[in-house]
Amino acid sequence: MRPRTILIGLTAVVVVALILLSLLDNFFVNLLWFGELGYRNVYVTIIEAQYAIFGVIWLAAFIPLVISGFIAVRLTHDRERLRVVRRTEDMVEVNLPELIRALGERVPWRLLVSGVAAVLAIFVAQSESVSWDIYIKALDGVPFGRVDPAFGHDIGFYIFTLPLLEDWRDLFLLILILATGLTAAIYWVRGGLDFRESPPRISRAAAGHFSVLLGIFFLQRAFSYWLARFQLLLHGNGVVYGLRYVDHLLWKPGYWLLFVLAIIAALLCILNARERSLRLPVLAAIVLFAPSFVLSLLQPAIESLWVKPDELRIEMPYLQRNIAMTRRAYKLDSVDVRPFLGYGKLTMQSVENDAPTIDNIRLWDPRPLIATFKQLQEIRLYYDFRDVDIDRYWINGKYTQVMLSPRELNPDLLATNAQTWVNRHLKFTHGNGLVMTPVNRKDSEGLPIFYINNIPPASSVGFNLTHPQVYFGQENDNYVAVDAATPEFDYPRGSDNVFGFYNGSGGIPTAGLWRRLLFSYYFRDINLLVTENIVAKTRLMIRRNINDRIANLAPFLKQDHDPYVVVHNGGMVWICDTYTTSDHYPYSQPNFDQINYVRNSVKVVIDARTGATDFYVADPEDPIIKTWERIFPGMFKPLSAMPADLRAHIRYPEDFFLVQSDIYRTYHMTDPEVFYNREDLWEFPRENYADETMQMQPYYVIMRLPGEKNAEYMLMIPMVPRGRDNMISWIAARCDGNDYGHLFEYAFSKERLFYGPYQIQARINQNPDISRQYSLWNQMGSKVILGNLIVIPIQESLLYVEPLYIRAQNGQLPELQRVIASYSDRIVMGETLEQTLHALFQGPPELAAPTVTGASSAGTSNLPEPVVASAAPAGSNTNAAADHYNRALAALRRGDWTEFGAEMQALGGELGRPPAKP
């Protein structure tokens, strides 16, 4: 064989391989990736569904397109030949129809029409195959076991079947439009249509053909009217969402009438194929659209003359359906409503008796805390803390709420000259460890006390992270090759670096020419093909962003915005809440995302080191997740299969709680009359943060519910009446054990006023002693930041706590310097929560408002102003205490530490001495 022949053959093989790779690279990479995670059957099922849908829809589009095109070709005859190019004195004009006719002389018209129809059908089929989930849900949908009261269909018909029928309605119209366009083009080219005349000339054959197509359009309208009956349960007018009285009286039979009239109109147009005049098509349009117009006029007349004068009575049964179905769709039908009278009276003793609640009041706000973590614990420039999570652990025998953040590695933060391919994909492959701090403790400088910190991770409370590497997290996706010839950077140690090799099971084996060629082409990165660092045991980690990972594995699940990390088995795992949703639940009011059914059905667990991903069903009663379990057998595990120590960290997701709370603001009103009049609308409270007013967010707490024996972890938020700032109730969701997911509302007595968060913040800002202290700090080059105001229900009473942070004007290290607490009509600011509560419940009235202060870590420039002694009877120790305090401040400013210590001791003695008798 000649060398030239061999070269040509090899070139041909390479070209064919590249063409196949360009078409199939995503398929093969997905096949390997799904298989590595144990979900190959999931991907195969999706691909099979997509190809089956593509094939069926392609035929469904191609057949009518080619039939209509062939008929147009058969019914037309070539006119007298025209010149393809006509020359004039000024220009050369191309005659497009004649040009296409000339092409038709070289290529048979039927073949040309078939080719155009095939291409158009590909676009139609491709757009439909993307909606594979609609098809397979309709085929395998699990019944809800409840029927709608209007038509008697199971709810599953609306959730699973109706979306597919609506898709087919739109597909029918799209194919009809394409067929009409193709047909018109053929008639135009072959002389059946001439737009140069006015009005355009149309041949009798074309007129007959277009009459049939118009008849098919009326059949599509008939299908639309048939579906519109069911869509009456999925629309609203502001009073009732779903079927209304006018819908029941007018449109429910009206759509049946329009359905029949549309069929009659279609028959008239089809009959016109023989007559080929405008009389029958015009008659068909009148037959259909005149009654439709009359029905549209009747609706406002019925509403104005019959419904509006007695709307509540007439719409009562429809309101009841709307309320009941909306509450069921958002899982609000089982909310436990309890009274909160607010007659309790807190004392220091009762506060101490509720130690688990008090010890877990969150003083660290995630917003300033993330800045503190970055300043203290990122250690190297390429490490990154993206988010602060809140969770609870048993620490030293106590149920403790903590805040934690994994230390991820972001290669984009490497120095510019270090942005090499080896560094980004082989060396700097993973983050290391995490930081953990209790929610309510600080050191003497106002900085968090760490339970876990540093690299490698060290713990002061017994955590042992033997596998602290973070290969999978929330950073932007960047593929890495592990177990390569070159060692990976593991962590910094002083001025040196520690290197090592991956010892986990994650990643796709990459050895072999074809796999390297595949991944090189997939990432458009030649380095994967030519580098010598890829060896036999090398594995490639892709889709390392956990949100992208879940979206690729289960695109039919919506994700919560806040996945959180859990310390587990010497390493870390991510837990992400996901949801099944629908916008087709009958009578249910849509939320701000236009969905009207939601369930927190699946908890996804991802190992931060290996990327192993497990799906646990958290709501086994949800028919939608039952449907997906039927479609993908073996993909989902029961929640009981989750390791017990990991199951102890599942929590009620914030996004789900917000959606439910948003709907509950209106749908807590179950009395139709109250609901109709909107007598008791609620809103989320407002709060101030960083000089901006914003909506208060839900917050996690460990607290003991009124009437309960033990403290528990829960998610809660207060509610206020619309247009007002006083509290009207608070809503909470339990997160622990068998009570997980239990929602309850504590309804406040309407006979008393309960301050809302915004009102408490206003009272804090109006307190003269506290506002004077704010002014002092702000004047001294510091920035005062108020954190989350937390409302803590304790024993039929409300305790309000707000942390105060101080940050240098141009600095990035907020310090927790004060704690403000309010109860009843008193407000106290102290250096610690213990001091503040002691002053709030035990301090004398004249000492309730002044701040308890000490030396600031920012230096003596931030020292508070001297306390002005209040008027007191002779012999009172209040004035003496104030004198000692002021002399101590003066000594501190002079740097006289001896006198400062002596005066502080004397101050302590005065405060500890009982007041003198008058």
Side-chain angles (χ1 to χ4, degrees):
M1 186 178 294
R2 295 180 180 180
R4 182 179 178 182
T5 305
I6 296 175
L7 181 60
I8 293 174
L10 290 175
T11 303
V13 169
V14 171
V15 170
V16 171
L18 289 175
I19 293 173
L20 289 175
L21 280 174
S22 65
L23 297 174
L24 301 174
D25 62 332
N26 191 66
F27 169 78
F28 285 119
V29 168
N30 277 331
L31 201 62
L32 291 171
W33 183 70
F34 275 81
E36 181 259 330
L37 291 172
Y39 297 112
R40 185 187 298 269
N41 290 338
V42 172
Y43 184 62
V44 170
T45 300
I46 293 174
I47 289 299
E48 287 176 347
Q50 288 179 328
Y51 278 105
I53 293 166
F54 182 92
V56 171
I57 299 302
W58 185 88
L59 281 175
F62 175 75
I63 290 173
L65 287 172
V66 78
I67 288 176
S68 183
F70 281 6
I71 290 173
V73 171
R74 183 170 177 269
L75 293 177
T76 55
H77 303 283
D78 287 348
R79 298 173 300 173
E80 180 184 351
R81 292 184 63 104
L82 301 175
R83 293 184 180 273
V84 175
V85 178
R86 185 174 60 189
R87 297 182 179 274
T88 66
E89 295 180 358
D90 300 318
M91 62 181 178
V92 176
E93 186 177 294
V94 178
N95 189 321
L96 183 60
E98 192 66 19
L99 183 62
I100 298 175
R101 288 181 61 205
L103 177 63
E105 291 180 357
R106 295 180 177 274
V107 180
W109 270 101
R110 291 181 183 273
L111 182 59
L112 183 62
V113 170
S114 298
V116 173
V119 172
L120 292 176
I122 287 174
F123 289 111
V124 175
Q126 179 62 34
S127 65
E128 281 297 297
S129 65
V130 173
S131 304
W132 58 269
D133 56 321
I134 295 177
Y135 282 79
I136 59 178
K137 280 194 300 183
L139 294 174
D140 289 317
V142 173
F144 274 63
R146 295 179 182 273
V147 298
D148 78 89
F151 296 100
H153 288 297
D154 184 89
I155 302 300
F157 167 80
Y158 298 91
I159 302 294
F160 303 125
T161 306
L162 186 58
L164 179 61
L165 296 176
E166 292 171 343
D167 185 79
W168 284 353
R169 174 201 60 197
D170 299 337
L171 176 66
F172 188 173
L173 182 60
L174 175 61
I175 294 174
L176 180 59
I177 291 172
L178 293 176
T180 303
L182 177 62
T183 302
I186 294 172
Y187 280 118
W188 174 57
V189 171
R190 293 175 62 85
L193 282 176
D194 192 343
F195 293 104
R196 293 177 300 177
E197 299 181 13
S198 182
R201 183 179 62 82
I202 182 171
S203 67
R204 286 180 56 80
H209 194 165
F210 285 125
S211 291
V212 174
L213 291 175
L214 182 60
I216 296 174
F217 168 74
F218 282 125
L219 289 178
Q220 192 272 343
R221 296 308 305 155
F223 185 37
S224 296
Y225 290 133
W226 183 78
L227 289 180
R229 298 179 306 121
F230 306 115
Q231 292 168 332
L232 291 172
L233 277 62
L234 301 170
H235 79 124
N237 70 336
V239 176
V240 179
Y241 189 86
L243 192 77
R244 303 166 293 164
Y245 175 79
V246 69
D247 297 329
H248 176 77
L249 179 70
L250 181 66
W251 288 109
K252 193 176 175 184
Y255 279 131
W256 268 121
L257 173 63
L258 293 176
F259 170 76
V260 173
L261 293 177
I263 293 178
I264 293 173
L267 293 175
L268 288 173
C269 289
I270 293 172
L271 291 175
N272 190 58
R274 181 179 295 275
E275 185 174 321
R276 302 174 184 179
S277 68
L278 286 176
R279 184 176 64 86
L280 289 180
V282 170
L283 178 62
I286 294 174
V287 165
L288 178 61
F289 295 120
S292 177
F293 180 70
V294 171
L295 289 172
S296 299
L297 293 178
L298 283 175
Q299 176 176 330
I302 293 173
E303 289 177 336
S304 300
L305 300 176
W306 179 255
V307 177
K308 292 295 182 183
D310 196 13
E311 189 173 43
L312 176 59
R313 182 187 64 81
I314 292 175
E315 299 287 14
M316 180 78 74
Y318 307 101
L319 276 171
Q320 291 172 333
R321 295 175 186 177
N322 173 210
I323 294 170
M325 298 288 271
T326 298
R327 288 171 63 91
R328 187 175 298 127
Y330 291 94
K331 210 172 184 179
L332 296 171
D333 52 335
S334 58
V335 174
D336 185 3
V337 181
R338 305 177 184 179
F340 189 89
L341 302 178
Y343 291 127
K345 184 173 178 60
L346 288 183
T347 64
M348 196 64 206
Q349 184 61 49
S350 61
V351 168
E352 291 174 352
N353 291 341
D354 231 324
T357 299
I358 301 300
D359 291 344
N360 286 285
I361 293 177
R362 179 164 60 81
L363 302 181
W364 284 107
D365 188 312
R367 292 166 290 192
L369 186 61
I370 188 69
T372 303
F373 282 173
K374 286 176 176 291
Q375 292 295 313
L376 299 180
Q377 281 291 308
E378 281 188 343
I379 299 176
R380 294 286 178 90
L381 292 176
Y382 39 76
Y383 285 125
D384 190 17
F385 293 109
R386 293 187 63 89
D387 188 25
V388 175
D389 300 318
I390 303 173
D391 202 357
R392 73 285 197 196
Y393 291 80
W394 283 96
I395 297 175
N396 295 330
K398 294 183 178 180
Y399 203 36
T400 305
Q401 190 173 200
V402 298
M403 306 178 80
L404 62 166
S405 183
R407 185 185 293 103
E408 299 188 53
L409 189 146
N410 183 355
D412 293 333
L413 299 178
L414 289 168
T416 304
N417 60 353
Q419 293 278 344
T420 65
W421 184 84
V422 171
N423 280 345
R424 291 182 61 87
H425 300 290
L426 299 178
K427 286 280 187 188
F428 292 88
T429 58
H430 60 274
N432 197 293
L434 77 162
V435 292
M436 177 190 290
T437 183
V439 296
N440 64 344
R441 295 184 61 190
K442 63 168 186 170
D443 63 16
S444 59
E445 297 183 348
L447 300 175
I449 291 175
F450 292 105
Y451 282 168
I452 302 176
N453 63 337
N454 297 333
I455 305 177
S459 173
S460 60
V461 292
F463 287 101
N464 184 23
L465 270 73
T466 55
H467 305 295
Q469 294 82 11
V470 182
Y471 285 89
F472 298 86
Q474 295 179 285
E475 290 290 343
N476 295 330
D477 203 10
N478 175 56
Y479 77 85
V480 296
V482 298
D483 241 357
T486 182
E488 304 169 41
F489 165 75
D490 197 10
Y491 59 88
R493 183 167 56 194
S495 59
D496 299 325
N497 291 331
V498 176
F499 293 86
F501 291 93
Y502 180 69
N503 61 352
S505 58
I508 305 171
T510 316
L513 175 61
W514 284 108
R515 288 200 177 192
R516 292 176 66 173
L517 178 63
L518 171 65
F519 286 115
S520 179
Y521 191 85
Y522 179 77
F523 289 110
R524 306 301 190 264
D525 190 343
I526 192 64
N527 292 291
L528 279 171
L529 183 62
V530 301
T531 181
E532 296 181 357
N533 285 298
I534 304 296
V535 294
K537 59 182 180 178
T538 300
R539 305 174 74 87
L540 199 67
M541 291 183 174
I542 65 175
R543 294 168 188 163
R544 298 196 299 139
N545 178 278
I546 57 175
N547 298 111
D548 292 343
R549 199 171 188 82
I550 296 170
N552 278 276
L553 282 170
F556 45 85
L557 296 176
K558 293 187 181 294
Q559 299 180 45
D560 192 88
H561 85 283
D562 186 27
Y564 58 101
V565 74
V566 176
V567 178
H568 175 65
N569 282 348
M572 290 169 283
V573 298
W574 294 92
I575 297 181
C576 183
D577 288 281
T578 60
Y579 309 102
T580 52
T581 63
S582 175
D583 57 1
H584 274 67
Y585 199 94
Y587 291 100
S588 177
Q589 178 72 42
N591 74 341
F592 46 82
D593 283 333
Q594 297 305 306
I595 62 171
N596 66 358
Y597 174 89
V598 60
R599 289 292 185 272
N600 174 217
S601 295
V602 179
K603 308 278 187 182
V604 185
V605 176
I606 300 176
D607 192 293
R609 187 169 67 101
T610 67
T613 306
D614 295 300
F615 296 83
Y616 295 96
V617 176
D619 189 351
E621 301 304 315
D622 172 31
I624 296 182
I625 199 60
K626 287 182 179 179
T627 298
W628 289 118
E629 286 184 287
R630 177 184 288 184
I631 294 169
F632 300 120
M635 181 179 185
F636 300 96
K637 302 176 182 178
L639 193 61
S640 58
M642 182 185 290
D645 57 339
L646 192 56
R647 197 162 63 248
H649 289 279
I650 63 172
R651 67 186 192 187
Y652 205 80
E654 186 176 331
D655 284 357
F656 188 32
F657 186 69
L658 267 176
V659 168
Q660 290 178 303
S661 301
D662 182 62
I663 293 296
Y664 197 71
R665 293 184 305 122
T666 303
Y667 284 87
H668 69 277
M669 298 180 284
T670 55
D671 184 297
E673 184 172 354
V674 175
F675 183 92
Y676 173 80
N677 293 316
R678 297 297 197 265
E679 296 176 16
D680 194 19
L681 281 176
W682 296 349
E683 288 180 345
F684 293 115
R686 297 181 295 164
E687 68 170 346
N688 282 323
Y689 178 77
D691 300 325
E692 292 185 9
T693 300
M694 59 188 66
Q695 177 183 299
M696 191 175 189
Q697 297 298 307
Y699 50 90
Y700 291 97
V701 294
I702 291 179
M703 60 173 285
R704 184 165 62 89
L705 291 171
E708 299 289 342
K709 293 182 179 180
N710 300 316
E712 55 187 295
Y713 194 56
M714 63 185 65
L715 179 63
M716 65 172 290
I717 191 169
M719 286 289 184
V720 299
R722 171 167 287 186
R724 296 162 60 190
D725 290 316
N726 60 288
M727 281 179 60
I728 191 68
S729 71
W730 58 278
I731 306 170
R734 286 172 150 168
C735 299
D736 288 344
N738 294 329
D739 289 326
Y740 174 83
H742 179 199
L743 287 174
F744 54 86
E745 170 209 338
Y746 276 88
F748 289 9
S749 169
K750 292 183 172 61
E751 299 175 359
R752 299 185 59 194
L753 174 67
F754 295 85
Y755 288 123
Y758 196 71
Q759 291 174 321
I760 291 293
Q761 286 187 323
R763 293 185 64 216
I764 291 172
N765 292 332
Q766 293 165 4
N767 183 284
D769 298 288
I770 295 177
S771 63
R772 185 169 63 248
Q773 190 70 66
Y774 287 177
S775 299
L776 174 65
W777 278 317
N778 287 326
Q779 290 170 5
M780 293 298 182
S782 297
K783 173 70 174 176
V784 174
I785 302 172
L786 292 174
N788 286 128
L789 189 144
I790 306 293
V791 184
I792 308 294
I794 302 178
Q795 301 177 8
E796 289 290 336
S797 298
L798 295 177
L799 175 66
Y800 305 84
V801 177
E802 183 169 36
L804 181 148
Y805 311 93
I806 297 178
R807 187 192 70 200
Q809 196 70 41
N810 298 318
Q812 296 295 325
L813 188 61
E815 300 173 356
L816 174 59
Q817 289 294 341
R818 298 293 183 268
V819 179
I820 304 170
S822 176
Y823 171 69
S824 185
D825 60 347
R826 304 181 71 192
I827 297 174
V828 171
M829 183 168 73
E831 199 170 316
T832 65
L833 179 62
E834 292 78 7
Q835 290 179 0
T836 304
L837 293 180
H838 192 275
L840 185 64
F841 293 109
Q842 286 193 338
E846 62 269 19
L847 291 181
T851 61
V852 182
T853 59
S856 168
S857 63
T860 58
S861 62
N862 286 337
L863 287 173
E865 293 180 342
V867 174
V868 178
S870 59
S876 170
N877 61 351
T878 303
N879 291 335
D883 290 338
H884 287 301
Y885 180 76
N886 292 334
R887 284 196 292 269
L889 287 181
L892 185 57
R893 289 191 176 94
R894 295 194 307 270
D896 189 344
W897 295 101
T898 302
E899 184 178 349
F900 174 79
E903 292 296 337
M904 291 302 291
Q905 285 185 344
L907 173 62
E910 287 293 337
L911 294 177
R913 184 166 57 85
K917 295 181 180 180

